[in-house]
């Protein structure tokens, strides 16, 4: 704790200096999974806050610093038989990033977003004052700081809940011939108390796979006395989404007249980070960009070193890369009643496949987390029998009095049809944002945002937010809108020879590979 306290004093002194001078600043975490372009302001470096400080076995809690990545956190808790209830699927996502941003996973339908497992925080306010916040102490700050992207202060320590960890996750793959059927199945599976994990992958208009998981310590089952665990972290292992597709497409044994859904037994750590190799399917996109390298098991093995999420973000998805103006990388949450309409829109307009589906619980307003307060009570099945009009939103899309509803996160990642240059890329993103608002959904704000300021604050509660910024004297910190908006004019001005070369083929790819090799 002594090293922690010394680092916090240094950070507090730096912040106090910025406040005294009235100078705006941002926070440097040491790493990021955001795709937002950088803004170039002065920074306070908190990357040294990367320690797991204490784990209480009896209370099942952990005290950690914000720059602790998910793999280090899991490696500290698993040997003790414990695991955070929500673990982001990329090993490099940090605890502070998960709290200050919005992070949901396949266990979130039960436990909420990552912020829901945090029980208290230590924070350096924009004045340099060090305070604590929880549901009992400064509850308004504690609630608002999650999802506010570090715009109310700098989180320097977090306490979180832990739960008993199973050795394995037993996965079951359920295949459906349409997204509509898959969405209905996801809703049903989230109500099954035996499920610890629920997610879906939409591979095409005619193939949606719903995956459910239950933690277990048993290697054997009633149907198989000896099972060999399926792993996803070794170089020779399959990429997870390709394995899922193969599992549901391979023929059933002839002896089974009525085959059961396919199953796998996966070590818990492998399951938690199952999408690390390949970065979901963005690794396949990278192969497509390379053009001359075939996408097969051999090449994936040979390039394994740069096909993990840390390397892929360094190569081309991170906020410092101009390649983020080429690919859509969005997580978008919608109520179940309209998510089918949205998937149709993505298929018709963007032609991006696959899509990731992650069920999320209701979140009370006001908040910056992806959420919906639509007043419809229709389920996904009922919605198909009603008109295709979107449900009625609360006042300006953010009525705190409206009942929050469960949402389904749709991961849309890839190269969109008709976005070959900057202007068309902006148009595609603007159209996506408009459609999302019409269907009662919200973005996860790690990604590019093209809202005007008025549009943004018609979605989020500015009065609530400005009141908190005034109360906690956060004026030297950027606002959430300042952090998420994309400066298109700045990108338009980048027309020099070096700027054009930096995004040209194949030089941009070679620069990306060199960056990835440094990770």
């Amino acid at each position: 704790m002594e090293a922690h306290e010394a680092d916090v004093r240094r950070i507090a002194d730096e912040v106090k200096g910025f406040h005294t001078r009235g100078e705006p600043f941002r926070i440097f975490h040491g790493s990021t999974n955001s795709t937002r372009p950088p803004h170039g302001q002065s920074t306070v470096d908190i990357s040294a806050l990367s320690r797991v400080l204490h784990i209480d076995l009896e209370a099942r809690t952990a005290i950690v610093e914000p720059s602790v990545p998910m793999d280090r956190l899991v490696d500290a808790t698993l040997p003790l038989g414990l695991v955070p209830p929500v673990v982001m699927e990329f090993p490099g996502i940090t605890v502070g990033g998960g709290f200050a941003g919005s992070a949901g996973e396949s266990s979130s339908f039960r436990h909420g977003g990552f912020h829901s497992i945090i029980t208290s925080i230590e924070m350096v306010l924009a004045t340099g004052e060090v305070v604590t916040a929880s549901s009992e102490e400064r509850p308004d700050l504690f609630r608002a700081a999650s999802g506010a992207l570090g715009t109310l202060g700098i989180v320097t320590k977090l306490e979180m809940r832990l739960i008993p960890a199973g050795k394995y996750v037993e996965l079951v793959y359920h295949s459906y011939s349409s997204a509509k059927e898959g969405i209905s199945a996801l809703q049903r599976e989230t109500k099954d108390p035996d499920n610890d994990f629920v997610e879906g992958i939409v591979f095409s208009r005619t193939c949606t796979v719903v995956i459910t998981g239950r933690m277990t310590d048993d290697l054997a089952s009633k149907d198989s006395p000896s099972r060999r665990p399926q792993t996803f972290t070794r170089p020779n292992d399959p990429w997870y989404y390709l394995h899922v597709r193969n599992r549901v497409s391979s023929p059933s044994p002839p002896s089974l007249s009525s085959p059961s859904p396919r199953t796998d037994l996966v070590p818990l750590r492998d399951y938690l980070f199952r999408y690390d190799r390949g970065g979901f399917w963005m690794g396949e996109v990278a192969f497509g960009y390379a053009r001359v390298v075939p996408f097969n098991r051999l090449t994936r093995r040979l390039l394994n070193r740069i096909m993990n999420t840390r390397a892929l973000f360094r190569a081309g998805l991170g906020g410092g890369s101009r390649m983020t103006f080429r690919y859509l990388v969005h997580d978008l949450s919608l109520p179940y009643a309209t998510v089918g309409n949205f998937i149709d829109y993505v298929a018709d307009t963007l032609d991006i496949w696959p899509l990731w589906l992650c069920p999320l619980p209701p979140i009370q307003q006001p908040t910056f987390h992806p959420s919906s307060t639509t007043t419809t009570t229709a389920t996904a099945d009922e919605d198909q029998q009603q008109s295709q009009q979107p449900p009625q939103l609360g006042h300006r899309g953010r009525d705190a009095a409206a009942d929050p509803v469960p949402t389904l996160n749709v991961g849309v990642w890839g190269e969109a049809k008709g976005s070959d240059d900057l202007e068309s890329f902006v148009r595609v993103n603007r159209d996506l944002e408009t459609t999302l608002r019409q269907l009662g959904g919200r973005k996860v704000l790690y990604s590019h945002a093209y809202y005007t300021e008025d549009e943004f604050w018609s979605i989020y509660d500015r009065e609530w937010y400005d009141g908190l910024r005034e109360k906690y004297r956060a004026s030297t910190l950027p606002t959430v809108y300042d952090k998420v908006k994309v400066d298109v004019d700045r990108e338009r001005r980048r027309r020099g020879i070096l700027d054009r070369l930096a995004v040209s083929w194949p030089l941009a790819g070679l620069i990306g590979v060199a960056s990835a090799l440094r990770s």
Side-chain angles (χ1 to χ4, degrees):
M1 283 291 187
E2 290 182 5
H4 170 79
E5 291 169 359
D7 284 334
V8 172
R9 285 195 297 270
R10 171 188 58 80
I11 292 166
D13 288 343
E14 288 185 41
V15 170
K16 186 175 182 180
F18 281 111
H19 182 75
T20 300
R21 298 188 297 272
E23 182 181 348
F25 69 93
R26 292 174 183 258
I27 305 164
F28 175 70
H29 305 272
S31 67
T32 180
N33 278 260
S34 170
T35 64
R36 299 187 304 265
H39 291 264
Q41 284 183 328
S42 300
T43 60
V44 172
D45 187 347
I46 68 166
S47 58
L49 297 178
S50 59
R51 295 165 285 236
V52 177
L53 298 172
H54 179 67
I55 297 176
D56 188 323
L57 287 173
E58 185 175 350
R60 292 180 181 169
T61 59
I63 299 175
V64 302
E65 293 177 324
S67 294
V68 171
M70 287 295 103
D71 52 358
R72 193 181 308 159
L73 174 62
V74 168
D75 289 343
T77 63
L78 268 188
L80 304 175
L82 298 171
V83 69
V86 179
V87 176
M88 284 78 83
E89 65 279 339
F90 292 174
I93 299 178
T94 62
V95 171
F99 176 78
S102 296
E105 239 298 327
S106 58
S107 61
S108 290
F109 77 96
R110 182 174 304 287
H111 299 285
F114 183 78
H115 66 281
S116 300
I117 74 171
I118 304 300
T119 56
S120 69
I121 59 173
E122 175 186 78
M123 175 179 276
V124 177
L125 299 180
T127 59
E129 181 185 0
V130 181
V131 302
T132 57
S134 66
S135 57
E136 290 80 31
E137 184 177 8
R138 299 181 182 87
D140 57 347
L141 178 63
F142 177 64
R143 183 179 179 281
S146 75
L149 306 180
T151 62
L152 295 173
I154 301 176
V155 175
T156 52
K157 186 173 65 177
L158 307 93
E159 182 179 73
M160 69 176 65
R161 294 186 294 110
L162 303 173
I163 60 174
K167 293 180 182 178
Y168 305 100
V169 178
E170 185 172 50
L171 296 182
V172 183
Y173 307 101
H174 314 261
S175 182
Y176 299 92
S177 59
S178 70
K180 171 192 170 183
E181 292 176 306
I183 292 166
S184 297
L186 277 166
Q187 278 190 294
R188 291 194 303 271
E189 296 293 351
T190 60
K191 297 171 184 175
D192 186 338
D194 291 331
N195 285 333
D196 296 308
F197 307 99
V198 177
E199 65 174 327
I201 303 175
V202 186
F203 286 102
S204 68
R205 291 182 187 271
T206 59
C207 180
T208 295
V209 182
V210 173
I211 306 111
T212 59
R214 304 177 184 186
M215 284 195 288
T216 180
D217 290 330
D218 297 326
L219 190 57
S221 73
K222 63 180 181 180
D223 299 320
S224 178
S226 178
R227 289 188 290 181
R228 181 179 179 180
Q230 172 65 57
T231 57
F232 296 107
T233 54
R234 299 176 302 185
N236 284 327
D237 290 338
W239 286 7
Y240 176 71
Y241 80 98
L242 296 174
H243 176 77
V244 172
R245 188 171 64 191
N246 289 338
R247 290 293 275 148
V248 299
S249 62
S250 57
S252 303
S255 59
L256 296 180
S257 58
S258 179
S260 300
R262 303 301 175 87
T263 64
D264 276 319
L265 192 70
V266 181
L268 177 59
R269 192 183 189 280
D270 280 61
Y271 173 78
L272 296 175
F273 302 128
R274 63 203 178 280
Y275 287 114
D276 181 40
R277 294 173 60 254
F280 281 89
W281 29 90
M282 291 307 289
E284 184 175 352
V285 172
F287 273 89
Y289 177 83
R291 303 179 192 173
V292 296
V293 182
F295 182 69
N296 56 44
R297 191 179 185 92
L298 175 61
T299 55
R300 291 195 294 273
R301 171 67 181 87
L302 292 174
L303 296 175
N304 186 67
R305 180 181 172 187
I306 59 174
M307 285 293 117
N308 62 76
T309 49
R310 282 186 171 99
L312 287 168
F313 263 89
R314 188 184 290 273
L317 295 179
S321 170
R322 293 177 62 215
M323 294 295 285
T324 60
F325 287 93
R326 181 183 180 97
Y327 301 102
L328 297 186
V329 183
H330 294 301
D331 280 273
L332 312 131
S333 295
L334 299 99
Y336 280 90
T338 63
V339 71
N341 298 22
F342 182 74
I343 291 174
D344 287 341
Y345 162 82
V346 172
D348 294 338
T349 307
L350 306 178
D351 193 28
I352 290 177
W353 305 101
L355 305 172
W356 186 52
L357 304 180
C358 179
L360 302 174
I363 299 179
Q364 191 65 50
Q365 298 292 317
T367 183
F368 289 104
H369 291 301
S371 56
S372 181
T373 57
T374 54
T375 55
T376 180
T377 58
T379 65
D381 284 332
E382 291 166 345
D383 185 57
Q384 302 301 316
Q385 301 168 11
Q386 299 172 2
S387 73
Q388 295 301 306
Q389 295 298 315
Q392 297 299 307
L393 295 175
H395 175 61
R396 302 181 72 193
R398 52 171 178 76
D399 187 350
D403 290 333
V405 296
T407 59
L408 190 58
N409 180 87
V410 183
V412 180
W413 314 309
E415 188 170 12
K417 180 174 62 178
S419 60
D420 300 328
D421 54 40
L422 177 62
E423 300 307 321
S424 60
F425 184 80
V426 172
R427 283 196 301 273
V428 165
N429 275 274
R430 290 281 294 158
D431 185 57
L432 176 69
E433 290 172 348
T434 298
T435 302
L436 183 68
R437 292 177 65 201
Q438 291 172 345
L439 295 176
R442 285 189 181 184
K443 277 185 172 181
V444 181
L445 294 175
Y446 70 81
S447 62
H448 279 214
Y450 293 89
Y451 301 111
T452 67
E453 190 165 7
D454 285 344
E455 287 170 344
F456 184 82
W457 291 117
S458 73
I459 300 170
Y460 302 97
D461 193 328
R462 188 168 194 169
E463 183 178 354
W464 160 75
Y465 177 63
D466 285 349
L468 285 163
R469 283 185 46 98
E470 180 178 359
K471 178 178 179 179
Y472 292 103
R473 293 175 287 176
S475 59
T476 48
L477 288 165
T479 67
V480 171
Y481 179 72
D482 291 335
K483 293 200 71 170
V484 304
K485 67 179 180 182
V486 173
D487 189 343
V488 179
D489 288 337
R490 178 186 179 190
E491 187 64 20
R492 289 186 179 120
R493 292 191 295 268
R494 301 180 72 170
R495 296 298 185 188
I497 293 177
L498 292 179
D499 292 321
R500 291 199 295 270
L501 285 174
V503 293
S504 65
W505 188 92
L507 184 59
L510 295 174
I511 294 172
V513 170
S515 299
L517 289 172
R518 294 200 306 269
S519 63

